[in-house]
Amino acid sequence: MERMAVYPGSFDPITNGHLDIIKRGLRFFDRLTVLVAYNPNKSGLFSVEERMELIRQVVGDDPRIRVDSFSGLLVNYVRDNGAQVILRGLRALSDFEYEFQMALINRRLNRDIETVFLMTGYKWFYTSSNLIKEAASHGGSVRGLVPEIVLQKLQAKYSTINGKG
Ligand code: ADP
């Protein structure tokens, strides 16, 4: 049986921390769906389509990786796509409580699905999409924390938003 996992997140935008989890996850799973999980009532910096496009560009054409988006109940997506595992990354202790709750509720909703956590690579301990956006919006350099293409898109977005574009 193929081992299939779903890696859900906002990915607004994808960072090197996310990429590290994707690469390491592929050592344990035959197939991985990177899922842009979104709330239709909340808009991010990048649209869902832009986020998916950035993920596609960054992961390249690896046949083991699929990029998709979804706004419903995660365990239903995982079940309907024939996967058994939800993959998540853990950074600081502050991630833990939220992730613990999510893992427990998802397990309660579907006992056949397990959440598997990978500890962050130490280089990405403080890398979050929110901090990256915050720094980039004020002109701070986030080079090295996000892939080059994401860096360019962030700069383009903020130069438009800040009226310089
Ligand atoms: P963020 O918290 O950066 O906004 P997401 O909501 O897209 O990111 O997160 C999706 C998943 O990826 C979560 O499990 C989150 O803990 C994990 N993740 C995000 N950034 C990192 C990182 N730097 N190292 C490890 N895991 C991460």
Side-chain angles (χ1 to χ4, degrees), residues 7-12 15 17-18 21 88-91 95 99 118-121 124-125 127-130:
Y7 178 33
S10 331
F11 302 105
D12 184 33
T15 69
H18 293 131
I21 298 293
R88 298 285 286 177
L90 275 181
R91 285 161 296 192
D95 277 347
E99 293 290 345
L118 286 179
M119 291 294 166
T120 184
W124 319 118
F125 183 70
T127 302
S128 77
S129 298
N130 282 341

Side-chain angles (χ1 to χ4, degrees), residues 21-70:
I21 298 293
I22 294 171
K23 286 187 184 145
R24 286 163 55 211
L26 280 170
R27 286 157 59 186
F28 307 102
F29 301 109
D30 302 309
R31 288 183 187 279
L32 185 66
T33 299
V34 183
L35 185 70
V36 177
Y38 66 95
N39 176 342
N41 300 316
K42 277 194 202 158
S43 60
L45 176 66
F46 292 95
S47 69
V48 171
E49 288 69 31
E50 286 174 317
R51 294 181 223 172
M52 291 172 70
E53 187 50 37
L54 278 176
I55 298 169
R56 282 198 196 97
Q57 291 188 37
V58 167
V59 299
D61 54 5
D62 189 323
R64 297 171 299 172
I65 304 177
R66 205 176 136 220
V67 182
D68 200 4
S69 67
F70 185 67

